Amino acid sequence: MIGAVKVISGTAHPELAQDICTCLGVDICRSTVVRFSNENMLVQIDENVREADVFVIQPSCPPVSDGIIELLMTIDALKHASAGRITAVVPYFPYARSDKKDRPRISITARLMADLLQTSGADRILTMNLHSPQVQGFFRIPADQLQAAPILCDYLRETRDLTNHVLVAGDVGESKDVGHYADRLDLPIAIVDKRRHGDDEVARAVNLIGDVKGKIALIVDDEVASGGTLVEAARFVLERGALAVEACVVHPVLSGRAIERIEASPIRQLVVTDTIPLREEAKRCKRIRQLSIAGLLAETMLRISNEDSVSSLFME
Amino acid sequence: MIGAVKVISGTAHPELAQDICTCLGVDICRSTVVRFSNENMLVQIDENVREADVFVIQPSCPPVSDGIIELLMTIDALKHASAGRITAVVPYFPYARSDKKDRPRISITARLMADLLQTSGADRILTMNLHSPQVQGFFRIPADQLQAAPILCDYLRETRDLTNHVLVAGDVGESKDVGHYADRLDLPIAIVDKRRHGDDEVARAVNLIGDVKGKIALIVDDEVASGGTLVEAARFVLERGALAVEACVVHPVLSGRAIERIEASPIRQLVVTDTIPLREEAKRCKRIRQLSIAGLLAETMLRISNEDSVSSLFME
Amino acid sequence: MIGAVKVISGTAHPELAQDICTCLGVDICRSTVVRFSNENMLVQIDENVREADVFVIQPSCPPVSDGIIELLMTIDALKHASAGRITAVVPYFPYARSDKKDRPRISITARLMADLLQTSGADRILTMNLHSPQVQGFFRIPADQLQAAPILCDYLRETRDLTNHVLVAGDVGESKDVGHYADRLDLPIAIVDKRRHGDDEVARAVNLIGDVKGKIALIVDDEVASGGTLVEAARFVLERGALAVEACVVHPVLSGRAIERIEASPIRQLVVTDTIPLREEAKRCKRIRQLSIAGLLAETMLRISNEDSVSSLFME
Amino acid sequence: MIGAVKVISGTAHPELAQDICTCLGVDICRSTVVRFSNENMLVQIDENVREADVFVIQPSCPPVSDGIIELLMTIDALKHASAGRITAVVPYFPYARSDKKDRPRISITARLMADLLQTSGADRILTMNLHSPQVQGFFRIPADQLQAAPILCDYLRETRDLTNHVLVAGDVGESKDVGHYADRLDLPIAIVDKRRHGDDEVARAVNLIGDVKGKIALIVDDEVASGGTLVEAARFVLERGALAVEACVVHPVLSGRAIERIEASPIRQLVVTDTIPLREEAKRCKRIRQLSIAGLLAETMLRISNEDSVSSLFME
Amino acid sequence: MIGAVKVISGTAHPELAQDICTCLGVDICRSTVVRFSNENMLVQIDENVREADVFVIQPSCPPVSDGIIELLMTIDALKHASAGRITAVVPYFPYARSDKKDRPRISITARLMADLLQTSGADRILTMNLHSPQVQGFFRIPADQLQAAPILCDYLRETRDLTNHVLVAGDVGESKDVGHYADRLDLPIAIVDKRRHGDDEVARAVNLIGDVKGKIALIVDDEVASGGTLVEAARFVLERGALAVEACVVHPVLSGRAIERIEASPIRQLVVTDTIPLREEAKRCKRIRQLSIAGLLAETMLRISNEDSVSSLFME
Amino acid sequence: MIGAVKVISGTAHPELAQDICTCLGVDICRSTVVRFSNENMLVQIDENVREADVFVIQPSCPPVSDGIIELLMTIDALKHASAGRITAVVPYFPYARSDKKDRPRISITARLMADLLQTSGADRILTMNLHSPQVQGFFRIPADQLQAAPILCDYLRETRDLTNHVLVAGDVGESKDVGHYADRLDLPIAIVDKRRHGDDEVARAVNLIGDVKGKIALIVDDEVASGGTLVEAARFVLERGALAVEACVVHPVLSGRAIERIEASPIRQLVVTDTIPLREEAKRCKRIRQLSIAGLLAETMLRISNEDSVSSLFME
């Protein structure tokens, strides 16, 4: 039997940590992160955690490398402080898309991240919507992966009439997710077919597999980074006769000029979750609707701590 | 610098091992596998292998569990016999499709297999066409993954006029491979959309995303086991107006009543490789055309041994 | 403190698992093993096991390799399902006789099996009558080894007058066990002396060390596989003047033509335990008397779970 | 025997890598580091490195966390690309001063860094002037630590008359280094005695142990970060009667307002090495004299590669 | 939650173990150490320890190597006896001064000792006054390090007027400890400056940094072995004008002719602790005053067992 | 390919190391072992060993614990000095008889020793006549075990007429070895049957299994420690009618009063090897004849270094 639950918030997403603690009815465990002028950090846990059941909340978001190092240092500090069990709660997993060796002599960095977390002393991982479900196999420690689809689908059903919608995947190679939504929402599917031509390295949308004519296209993806792929797909389906375009994405990375691009695009709404904090610019963007996964994480953490089944509720 | 190359053939696929050795111009390293009446095996290496660069050829094929245990025992025997480097050559990786946790409380067995191989003493893995490219990340030892697509595409181009062909993937969730063929052969894509309804656990083809009318459908997949999915897809595309159906699959598992099913199906040719040996029944089946990957493996092994680049040739 | 006891039965010996659960007054934890047409298995645990004290019952018996892989997959599934402690209950340990390197370049497979179990996630092992007591040293995880001798000796004393018996070991190199019985039953010992001559690889009984004349020979061994050694020893002691022959063996492997051989032999009774299930043929054989070790295993599991001493009861 | 030497430069200090390669007469091995808009990096090695003896040059300097993650990814990529031996050349080791647990519940991050490097696949470490020599014990892989003292002392002797100098350590707890210089230069020592009073957390110089009156004080330290400690010590020895102040420091971190502070201080020269690149501002600062350790590193790498003794030359 | 506390005494320091148990109000857990004529030992735990929270008391003292092997065997026996958590209580850590590679091709034996303890199965370490605080970073398991300074300083303040005392460190390189005492006792510091000349390997005191004239010198160090360094420093400060000399040392190794040397020295009192037992000769020496750290260890063990903060009390 | 052979002699058996080097025609690699007054040791390798093929000769002999710690330190020093491959040559393995858990809560110390050697950095083990062949399975690194039987049997055949000899094992549980001699020398076997009665813990010889009347008894064993068992067996076979008694033992531990006992016994010759050095007293004992295994070890080391088969020569 593990000790009392302690929730530590890294510096990545204190709002999410606070929301989770509110759901759980506990205070955030006090800890300090100092960053010196030489950029080195000092992480200190300010409460006794001996044998406690500690959850560290730290999704991957800018500054990305600092966030990873801080997380590893926090886990290391907890281990040497004799924490009973350390669960890294990483709703958006760092380098999740770096999950295969699609070029010679590169690192499968998602696997490296899994190894670094284990080396630093993590006993468990709790994450959400990994880019590939196979990434769960990168861990030798127990890893729970939650799905945001139920929350997103509930929202979609409650807020609109879906009878004329079609789900769209932006790439043949990344069309697995769209299947989950299709099953849940009972909607047809279309897929953008991108090809590489000649020495041109960049893949371009050349065909649309399936049909969007006269329908509202709902593009689904696991993450939106620079927004380029998403906006290109939106324009492509409109050219192919879609009436309107909406998008539903779990992890709102929204880096670089993403907000600017989305504002200038035909996407009329982008539904995301709060696995990552939104930048101020994104919070102000009216097309973006953010749904909270804090309750889902809180319920899961409670079940982990109480030794109840996690799958029975969330993995249907 | 590693010592001389030694090639050991497990009992799974001696023909492939012999073909590789012929390409390499070496003899198979002598070894013995005895199976006692109590089903226990004894694996003995019959030549000195101290510091040698040993490759063990053992794809996963029936009897599957015996093949795995035999491979682990062989590697263990080689390690304790002071082999210099041990490469498990596993063209068809065991449990490659068990690569994610899509039900609660199951084993991601492909990862377990990777760990068992490392525990037994494997220094490297050489495999072909993993079901998901992410499986490469299950290894902490260097793992080279070869692709049969160049061999298969060359054959297709040489043996038929492809101008009226369309590539077909049998499932939205498994459509990544079809993209590789599409890029190489410059062909359009169609995807069978399978859904689960009500309490019925089995997914059924309900839509076809994309168009096959008046075209020759070429179904591509990484493996064919019982043949059920393949034959269902074949019938489905014919119903949707395809002129004819062909299939191209890397790993010919062809278990259970697969041959019978294929003979009774509208598939006019099934192109496969020899990563797995064909059963007698399959060898006699005129619709099956088997292409050899022995030369590809031999060339790769030579490059590994000579410390040449593998990616420069095969991974384009 | 570990959580509640859960007993999982692999497919190897469900009767033993049920008998143990009856002794413990618990239900078997629900789990499913599916075997697909391609021989791959799917192991799923059908109940929540978070932090539970799980015992997996799986002795090594045909199909041997399938049983090993299934056990490793079950343990892996349990680990990733967050089981609190996983004890592999393997009354007959796989490859227990492959415990030394008595030929060049072979695997000490019992050690390999120990490593594979640890890699898959086993926290403890519970086994019985290892061929050599040294095999316990192959484990870095706690390993409890029980002895069936008390159960067997009690039965022998209760069912016959032992005053004219002599204990017989079938080989000089394997005579350690006979000493334990000799101490318990206070009986004399004789040992069959087997030698290898010339290039003949097979050892043959050539001498009898000690005396069996006019006595009832009771051959003892840890396992009987094909029955060849046992029957040869039986005939040999009769030739040397024994009045009758009986045998007492812990693990009834009884593979190949063992039953046929025993029926045709002068052995009037063969006492065994149920560490391995008897084949139908063996169950019908009237010369075989099977004693249950379910109560012993159940009592031990209870003590492990209650943190009581195991040695105080069973290892005398 | 390891293969040919390959030198890879991370993005931290390309000048040093180039200087080393010039000494060695080799070209830098081509590699690419891409940083995407979401701050994720892609590291790719652009040449075949199978079985090569690879050295990765990457001292710790801003952006510190990015540099660490990049180094780990590079090593991981090299391992999976089958490099023969990977030596991380880290002249200034990250978090080298985080080498003890001087507060409750913190991470000994230098140890964590050592573990992360080993997890990612480093076979060896080559570093310089660790803050504590004990940090070498944080590695289980061979770690060579070079000393810059010979280079620094040679320069000091060649450029000035040292007969009226006194060496000064800025803190009692950090006075080990000053002893090495004292032995080499045959100079007396003085030590600033800093104390903490009341609840005031910051230690202040309160005494000077030893004598600096009428002498030129030469403050020595392993690193200068914000410059605060160094400048405080300089002022303190002047107050205690020193004629002038100079400083000699191995690692020129010079973070935050360090250059500004030094320009405003009484330190007339600060001698440093190029284990870390100087910022533009620092390069322009006339009081700073930078000595190169490229030749020392190149000679050491050559000896490692040639299997010659490293200690015989450099560790005197 | 870990089980009940069990305290096992190795043969190194049974008095300390008994004193700790008296503080805790528990009996020593029965165990036996037999030493055979061939010098091999047998360690047996004579009580059930399943899931117990076991502390093994074994500081490093002569016979040193026997003590280390006995400790490793005890931990190994406990692990295989299913102890719940094993804490090695090693107040004086073996080879603590062998913490750096100050000569070529030597072992950093303190690190090796840390690894051996972890290999044998230790889950935690509890030690006191490591020679360097960095040694704590040699452990990957939680390691608590206690400081004897509070006990020693309390004693010094209670037994003498310290207004005319000066603290003395015997070597520039080992002056870190003296700072801790200086802060606590608010006393000035002087440091003996030892140098090596020519080929003479032995360092000799040549200067005194700071001032001792007319003061009572209180030499502080972490351990006293042969006494040579301590007595040399005592004579040196007297020559430099000290009125009298006292010494305060945590670990009283007092090997070889140490007692004889101290009796013949000007040191009027040597205050030590009982981390190591005193030899009879040392117990009789009136100049030695031994203070007990049993209460400190007992309180810490209680806090570890009760999951209370250790740092809050002892590490101020 | 591993580098040049370097042979390091620990302090345990310099004569054996010298004899091996003479056979190999190489000089012993210079190294130093210093033992300080506090019993701590310092091991330093005095030659460059980078990438060399290093063999460390250190059988287990008094002082046993010092010898083990010295061996671990030497291996650790070699690893950090970048030795290419480290083979621990341990002709008599420490704690080889502590190979099973024959009492509750003890350590299987031979396994612990194997783990400690691996932790310290040994890459290979070379040993002779392990008490049980299963101990070879305690290693995960390659372990070669040589047999002295060929040398001993050759000597016996050359020095006496064996036609009237009988081989005697001193215990039923330890009679495996006698079988090897019996096969080689074609001699009959007799075994002393020892039993424990009542609460009397000590086993006593009560029966002789087999016949020695009128024959010369040749007692064989793997080691002789205090000599008690050997001398008891000698007296017992004489009582049972043996004409004379001789003994043949591989490892001459000869601890305590062993020589005295043997001088007073009826054993007319004790043939041993030099896996362990003889004490002066034993060297003077005329009944002891010591045969050298230096040539056997040298030949094996040469074969290991040259990557030739070891088994082909020695393991027949």
Side-chain angles (χ1 to χ4, degrees), chain B residues 22-183:
Chain B
T22 303
C23 293
L24 292 172
V26 301
D27 289 331
I28 288 183
C29 175
R30 282 174 293 115
S31 65
T32 314
V33 178
V34 179
R35 197 182 152 101
F36 299 108
S37 76
N38 64 356
E39 298 192 4
N40 282 9
M41 291 176 277
L42 172 74
V43 175
Q44 183 164 21
I45 314 301
D46 296 322
E47 297 182 15
N48 175 30
V49 292
R50 289 197 174 238
E51 303 306 322
D53 194 7
V54 186
F55 295 82
V56 186
I57 317 289
Q58 182 90 332
S60 181
C61 56
V64 168
S65 298
D66 283 336
I68 296 167
I69 299 290
E70 182 201 318
L71 176 57
L72 299 173
M73 288 174 71
T74 304
I75 293 169
D76 186 54
L78 286 165
K79 180 178 60 180
H80 287 288
S82 305
R85 184 169 66 177
I86 305 166
T87 302
V89 181
V90 189
Y92 177 60
F93 196 74
Y95 286 86
R97 291 209 161 186
S98 177
D99 61 356
K100 59 189 168 295
K101 207 171 159 182
D102 48 9
R103 303 187 196 191
R105 300 180 216 96
I106 62 169
S107 159
I108 300 181
T109 309
R111 168 65 195 258
L112 176 62
M113 290 296 139
D115 288 346
L116 298 183
L117 283 166
Q118 287 165 244
T119 294
S120 69
D123 295 305
R124 307 181 51 88
I125 296 289
L126 177 56
T127 187
M128 288 192 68
N129 285 73
L130 292 165
H131 178 57
S132 314
Q134 286 78 13
V135 170
Q136 206 171 355
F138 290 0
F139 293 94
R140 281 312 284 167
I141 50 175
D144 287 306
Q145 184 200 187
L146 303 178
Q147 297 293 341
I151 290 172
L152 292 166
C153 291
D154 282 356
Y155 172 78
L156 292 170
R157 271 190 298 246
E158 287 164 13
T159 54
R160 66 205 72 193
D161 173 3
L162 293 167
T163 46
N164 197 35
H165 275 64
V166 57
L167 293 167
V168 175
D171 192 351
V172 172
E174 310 291 352
S175 55
K176 186 168 291 175
D177 272 357
V178 84
H180 297 151
Y181 288 82
D183 268 353

Side-chain angles (χ1 to χ4, degrees), chain C residues 184-225:
Chain C
R184 285 183 173 277
L185 299 174
D186 198 19
L187 292 178
I189 294 171
I191 300 171
V192 178
D193 182 11
K194 299 166 88 169
R195 301 284 173 101
R196 282 181 181 74
H197 285 289
D199 296 347
D200 185 359
E201 274 287 315
V202 183
R204 288 204 194 141
V206 294
N207 300 309
L208 185 74
I209 312 173
D211 195 9
V212 297
K213 255 177 221 133
K215 288 173 178 273
I216 299 165
L218 178 58
I219 306 173
V220 297
D221 211 342
D222 59 330
E223 74 173 57
V224 49

Side-chain angles (χ1 to χ4, degrees), chain E residues 36-290:
Chain E
F36 299 108
S37 76
N38 64 357
E39 298 193 3
N40 281 10
M41 292 177 277
L42 172 73
V43 175
Q44 183 164 22
I45 314 301
D46 297 322
E47 296 182 15
N48 175 30
V49 293
R50 288 195 175 238
E51 301 307 321
D53 193 9
V54 185
F55 294 83
V56 186
I57 317 288
Q58 182 89 332
S60 181
C61 57
V64 168
S65 297
D66 283 336
I68 295 166
I69 299 290
E70 182 201 319
L71 176 57
L72 298 173
M73 289 174 69
T74 305
I75 292 169
D76 186 53
L78 285 165
K79 180 177 60 180
H80 286 288
S82 306
R85 185 168 66 176
I86 305 166
T87 302
V89 182
V90 188
Y92 177 60
F93 195 75
Y95 286 86
R97 291 210 161 187
S98 178
D99 61 357
K100 59 189 167 297
K101 205 168 160 184
D102 49 7
R103 305 185 195 191
R105 302 181 214 94
I106 62 169
S107 159
I108 301 182
T109 309
R111 168 65 196 257
L112 176 62
M113 290 295 140
D115 287 347
L116 298 182
L117 283 165
Q118 287 164 242
T119 294
S120 68
D123 296 304
R124 308 180 50 87
I125 296 288
L126 177 56
T127 186
M128 290 192 66
N129 285 74
L130 293 165
H131 178 57
S132 314
Q134 286 78 13
V135 171
Q136 206 170 354
F138 289 2
F139 294 95
R140 280 311 285 166
I141 50 176
D144 287 305
Q145 184 199 187
L146 304 178
Q147 297 293 341
I151 290 172
L152 292 166
C153 290
D154 283 356
Y155 172 79
L156 290 170
R157 270 191 300 247
E158 285 165 14
T159 53
R160 66 206 69 194
D161 173 2
L162 292 167
T163 47
N164 196 34
H165 275 64
V166 58
L167 293 167
V168 175
D171 192 351
V172 173
E174 311 290 354
S175 53
K176 186 168 291 175
D177 273 356
V178 83
H180 297 151
Y181 288 83
D183 268 353
R184 285 184 172 277
L185 298 174
D186 197 19
L187 292 179
I189 295 172
I191 301 170
V192 179
D193 181 12
K194 300 166 88 169
R195 301 284 173 101
R196 281 180 181 75
H197 284 289
D199 296 349
D200 185 0
E201 275 284 317
V202 183
R204 287 204 194 142
V206 293
N207 300 308
L208 184 73
I209 312 173
D211 194 10
V212 298
K213 253 174 224 139
K215 290 175 177 272
I216 299 166
L218 178 58
I219 306 172
V220 297
D221 212 344
D222 60 329
E223 74 172 58
V224 49
S226 71
T229 299
L230 185 61
V231 169
E232 184 193 13
R235 293 207 173 110
F236 195 74
V237 293
L238 282 180
E239 285 169 18
R240 301 293 160 129
L243 288 182
V245 189
E246 298 171 347
C248 179
V249 174
V250 179
H251 306 298
V253 178
L254 296 170
S255 56
R257 295 170 46 233
I259 298 302
E260 191 181 327
R261 276 202 189 101
I262 285 162
E263 296 274 16
S265 83
I267 297 165
R268 64 186 192 191
Q269 189 180 37
L270 169 60
V271 181
V272 300
T273 77
D274 59 349
T275 54
I276 316 178
L278 291 182
R279 282 184 293 163
E280 277 313 306
E281 188 189 9
K283 283 184 187 164
R284 284 191 306 266
C285 174
K286 297 210 172 116
R287 301 201 193 179
I288 295 178
R289 177 73 172 89
Q290 191 178 30

Side-chain angles (χ1 to χ4, degrees), chain B residues 212-253:
Chain B
V212 297
K213 254 175 225 137
K215 289 175 177 267
I216 299 167
L218 178 58
I219 305 173
V220 298
D221 211 343
D222 59 330
E223 73 173 58
V224 48
S226 72
T229 299
L230 185 62
V231 169
E232 184 193 13
R235 295 207 172 110
F236 195 75
V237 294
L238 282 180
E239 286 169 16
R240 302 291 159 132
L243 289 182
V245 189
E246 298 171 346
C248 179
V249 174
V250 180
H251 307 297
V253 177

